[in-house]
């Protein structure tokens, strides 16, 4: 096999969609597996909808996912002379022509064809007029009116299209910019793309592109059209199914390796393996393992994977990722040694970086806020003696370590004649403001003796103040 060259060619008209990210990933992995090249091209010929902001967002999302490119990014808007040169070659060969039909005329003919039960297609009325370029005119391709075009798809096999069903597609729009089907053929040929891996929503474009390849004398690449990603209702994945932008998952606290692992499994598999390192994916990925059925996006499965990667990320790396999300919770300058120390416990109980920040912000607050139901249940006059006794035992510890803390709490519960959880839950709420947290001994050790005792005193004062506010005044 000659050098494998794949490409990803997004249109900068919005964010990088999950489906687009999977397409980019498949192309990237195939190129890396075969030690080839991965080319990035920005298809920005739709001047009304394309924007620099969208381009930046797409590039940022790809960098976040780790999908580096070997060549590019190339911008179609900067390649107009190239497309015009190839258009002139087609016109010289009699394989393309200029068309002066107005949008109004075309729409009338379209409606008439539909009314008579025919397929609405251009009737070729300008084919033999030998018109030249003029403002407002489009250029069209002379599509063969008979015969068949066969798409040899690496995933779907041979698919036959009747040429009479195709149209004299527009190559150059009235604004002077090339259409998708024309530009993509020229670019893929010029960039020596060997494999075109894309969603099967492009399949109907492929016979038209093959005809253009032949007309321009270009060799055909290998085509591979992968099924679309569906929502739980088996409809095409859209915003109504939840977040569809790669950037949104970054904002929600997902790790890029989790999203990469999940996306590659939407349509590709290797036995029953679910979790892959990037090096494993590069070693194993190939087109013959792609599935021919549409994949259903399962948010719960992605959350499960993300928690796995949170737990697997070294604390010294995770702390820097978590710092950004703590800032959203009002913790702008966390104690970094403390942050690193609590990362494993938080990761074990969280599915995203957002949850980690919300679950762990109590470590860094000077004054914590008690959750209402937690306080009503566990910061009560009945629990005050337990909290006070806990503070006393902890204050008397000579060695403030996890083992000594655990021993002290167990012996105290036994001394008080209560179950350990009856002692631990008031202490937990006093220290964290919540009924759920990492192990109480982990929390106490991370906070340190001084801060632990201060928070227990604060909780006792809270109970006293609450009791005074609710007491019935004497008459």
């Amino acid at each position: 096999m000659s050098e494998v060259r794949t490409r990803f060619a997004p249109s900068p008209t919005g964010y990088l969609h999950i489906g687009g990210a999977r397409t980019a990933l498949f192309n990237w992995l195939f190129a890396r597996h075969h030690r080839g090249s991965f080319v990035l091209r920005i298809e920005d010929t739709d001047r009304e909808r394309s924007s620099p902001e969208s381009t930046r967002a797409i590039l940022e999302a790809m960098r976040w996912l780790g999908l580096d490119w070997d060549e590019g990014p190339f911008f179609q808007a900067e390649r107009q002379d190239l497309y015009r040169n190839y258009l002139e070659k087609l016109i010289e060969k009699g394989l393309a022509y200029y068309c002066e039909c107005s949008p109004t005329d075309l729409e009338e003919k379209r409606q008439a064809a539909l009314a008579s039960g025919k397929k609405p297609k251009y009737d070729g009325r300008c084919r033999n007029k030998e018109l030249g370029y003029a403002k407002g005119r489009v250029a069209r391709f002379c599509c063969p009116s008979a015969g068949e075009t066969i798409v040899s798809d690496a995933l779907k096999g041979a698919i036959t299209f009747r040429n009479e069903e195709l149209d004299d597609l527009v190559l150059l729009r009235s604004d002077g910019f090339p259409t998708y089907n024309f530009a993509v053929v020229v670019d893929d040929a010029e960039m020596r793309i060997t494999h075109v891996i894309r969603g099967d929503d492009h399949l109907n474009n492929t016979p038209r592109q093959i005809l253009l390849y032949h007309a321009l004398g270009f060799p055909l690449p290998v085509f591979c059209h992968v099924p679309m990603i569906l929502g739980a209702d088996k409809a095409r994945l859209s915003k109504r199914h939840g977040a569809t932008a790669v950037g949104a998952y970054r904002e929600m606290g997902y790790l890029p390796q989790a999203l990469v692992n999940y996306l590659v499994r939407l349509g590709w598999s290797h036995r029953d393996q679910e979790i892959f390192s990037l090096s494993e994916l590069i070693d194993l990925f190939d087109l013959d393992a792609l599935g021919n059925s549409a994949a259903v996006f399962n948010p719960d499965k992605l959350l499960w994977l993300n928690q796995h990667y949170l737990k697997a990320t070294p604390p010294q790396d995770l702390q820097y990722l978590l710092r950004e999300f703590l800032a959203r919770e009002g913790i702008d300058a966390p104690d970094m040694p403390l942050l690193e120390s609590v990362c494993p416990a938080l990761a074990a109980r969280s599915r995203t970086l957002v949850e980690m920040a919300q679950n762990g912000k109590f470590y860094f607050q000077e004054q914590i806020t008690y959750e209402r139901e937690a306080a009503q249940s566990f910061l009560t006059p009945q629990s005050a003696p337990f909290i006070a006794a806990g503070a006393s035992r902890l204050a008397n510890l000579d060695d403030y370590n996890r083992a000594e803390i655990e021993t002290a709490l167990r012996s105290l519960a036994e001394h008080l004649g209560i179950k350990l959880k009856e002692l631990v839950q008031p202490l937990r709420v006093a220290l964290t403001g919540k009924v759920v947290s990492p192990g109480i001994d982990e929390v106490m050790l991370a906070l340190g003796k001084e801060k632990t005792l201060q928070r227990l005193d604060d909780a006792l004062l809270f109970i006293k103040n609450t009791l005074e506010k609710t007491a019935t005044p004497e008459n």
Side-chain angles (χ1 to χ4, degrees):
M1 181 187 293
S2 59
E3 181 200 8
V4 166
R5 293 177 60 84
T6 65
R7 49 73 162 178
F8 178 54
S11 297
T13 56
Y15 52 77
L16 179 58
H17 187 275
I18 285 292
R22 186 190 64 165
T23 297
L25 176 60
F26 284 174
N27 280 277
W28 186 87
L29 286 172
F30 187 72
R32 296 290 176 261
H33 176 77
H34 291 282
R35 296 180 175 82
S37 296
F38 176 63
V39 180
L40 178 60
R41 185 173 71 233
I42 305 298
E43 299 189 339
D44 57 347
T45 58
D46 186 340
R47 306 309 295 164
E48 291 184 0
R49 299 174 60 221
S50 297
S51 71
E53 293 76 19
S54 292
T55 299
R56 285 193 291 270
I58 290 170
L59 298 183
E60 183 179 344
M62 290 189 65
R63 291 189 184 101
W64 180 69
L65 289 171
L67 304 182
D68 57 325
W69 48 91
D70 303 298
E71 299 175 23
F74 299 103
F75 293 85
Q76 286 186 332
E78 299 172 357
R79 298 164 62 83
Q80 299 307 300
D81 290 342
L82 179 68
Y83 308 130
R84 285 188 175 277
N85 289 339
Y86 277 109
L87 174 62
E88 291 306 316
K89 290 179 181 180
L90 290 175
I91 290 176
E92 289 172 6
K93 293 179 180 180
L95 296 176
Y97 60 94
Y98 284 103
C99 171
E100 64 181 356
C101 296
S102 69
T104 302
D105 290 339
L106 295 174
E107 181 59 24
E108 288 177 356
K109 288 184 174 296
R110 178 179 177 278
Q111 294 299 331
L114 290 172
S116 61
K118 297 178 181 178
K119 182 175 180 177
K121 55 180 291 189
Y122 182 63
D123 59 8
R125 65 160 61 185
C126 291
R127 266 198 183 198
N128 300 314
K129 288 186 177 182
E130 298 185 357
L131 299 172
Y133 171 78
K135 186 177 180 180
R137 289 178 180 172
V138 303
R140 291 182 179 272
F141 177 63
C142 294
C143 182
S145 58
E148 297 175 337
T149 298
I150 298 175
V151 177
S152 296
D153 190 88
L155 182 59
K156 300 177 182 297
I159 306 169
T160 301
F161 293 84
R162 296 167 57 194
N163 290 338
E164 64 187 63
E165 295 294 319
L166 306 178
D167 208 344
D168 279 7
L169 73 148
V170 174
L171 304 178
L172 196 73
R173 296 191 296 264
S174 59
D175 62 3
F177 281 86
T179 57
Y180 163 76
N181 280 309
F182 183 43
V184 74
V185 169
V186 171
D187 284 338
D188 283 346
E190 283 281 330
M191 296 174 186
R192 308 187 314 282
I193 301 303
T194 60
H195 293 75
V196 174
I197 306 168
R198 58 191 180 190
D200 59 10
D201 55 331
H202 286 286
L203 183 57
N204 287 335
N205 289 321
T206 307
R208 296 176 171 85
Q209 293 172 11
I210 287 175
L211 291 172
L212 280 171
Y213 272 99
H214 292 325
L216 291 167
F218 295 144
L220 289 178
V222 174
F223 290 101
C224 180
H225 293 88
V226 296
M228 305 299 289
I229 301 175
L230 305 180
D233 57 359
K234 304 302 173 66
R236 183 172 176 175
L237 190 67
S238 64
K239 289 182 179 179
R240 64 191 176 89
H241 297 108
T244 57
V246 169
Y249 284 91
R250 183 179 185 178
E251 289 295 308
M252 291 189 294
Y254 288 81
L255 297 181
Q257 55 267 47
L259 192 55
V260 164
N261 195 148
Y262 184 69
L263 288 178
V264 79
R265 290 287 287 112
L266 290 177
W268 176 87
S269 62
H270 178 71
R271 302 192 179 97
D272 295 327
Q273 188 171 342
E274 292 285 351
I275 297 172
F276 298 85
S277 67
L278 195 57
S279 60
E280 284 180 307
L281 289 176
I282 291 172
D283 288 341
L284 296 171
F285 187 86
D286 218 338
L287 301 183
D288 57 5
L290 290 173
N292 212 353
S293 300
V296 176
F297 192 88
N298 183 342
D300 292 334
K301 185 66 168 292
L302 176 56
L303 280 170
W304 173 79
L305 267 175
N306 200 61
Q307 185 173 41
H308 165 81
Y309 281 102
L310 285 175
K311 292 189 290 187
T313 302
Q316 60 268 30
D317 297 330
L318 193 56
Q319 63 174 323
Y320 292 104
L321 298 174
L322 183 56
R323 186 176 185 178
E324 173 188 342
F325 291 86
L326 280 171
R328 300 183 191 177
E329 300 293 327
I331 311 298
D332 294 315
D335 179 332
M336 295 305 285
L338 172 58
L339 181 56
E340 181 178 344
S341 72
V342 300
C343 273
L346 291 174
R349 294 166 176 81
S350 306
R351 299 174 299 173
T352 67
L353 288 166
V354 168
E355 288 186 3
M356 282 188 70
Q358 292 172 344
N359 293 339
K361 65 181 179 181
F362 71 86
Y363 283 112
F364 309 96
Q365 293 171 314
E366 290 299 321
Q367 284 276 328
I368 62 171
T369 301
Y370 306 118
E371 292 181 349
R372 182 178 179 181
E373 291 186 4
Q376 289 176 341
S377 299
F378 296 104
L379 299 186
T380 65
Q382 292 75 24
S383 67
F386 302 156
I387 297 173
S392 178
R393 283 291 177 103
L394 294 170
N396 289 323
L397 287 180
D398 293 326
D399 294 321
Y400 193 80
N401 58 52
R402 189 169 177 179
E404 290 297 321
I405 292 170
E406 183 179 357
T407 299
L409 294 180
R410 288 187 179 279
S411 64
L412 177 58
E414 184 177 348
H415 172 75
L416 294 172
I418 59 175
K419 294 180 180 179
L420 182 61
K421 67 178 181 180
E422 294 179 70
L423 171 63
V424 165
Q425 278 302 85
L427 295 175
R428 188 190 310 279
V429 175
L431 295 175
T432 71
K434 306 170 181 290
V435 294
V436 177
S437 76
I440 193 66
D441 50 347
E442 296 177 74
V443 171
M444 290 178 170
L445 185 62
L447 288 174
K449 188 174 185 178
E450 182 180 350
K451 186 176 286 188
T452 296
L453 295 176
Q454 181 60 57
R455 290 194 179 184
L456 295 180
D457 285 345
D458 290 343
L460 291 171
L461 182 60
F462 172 85
I463 295 171
K464 178 177 180 293
N465 291 338
T466 302
L467 185 62
E468 290 175 353
K469 287 180 182 179
T470 57
T472 303
E474 293 184 4
N475 293 323

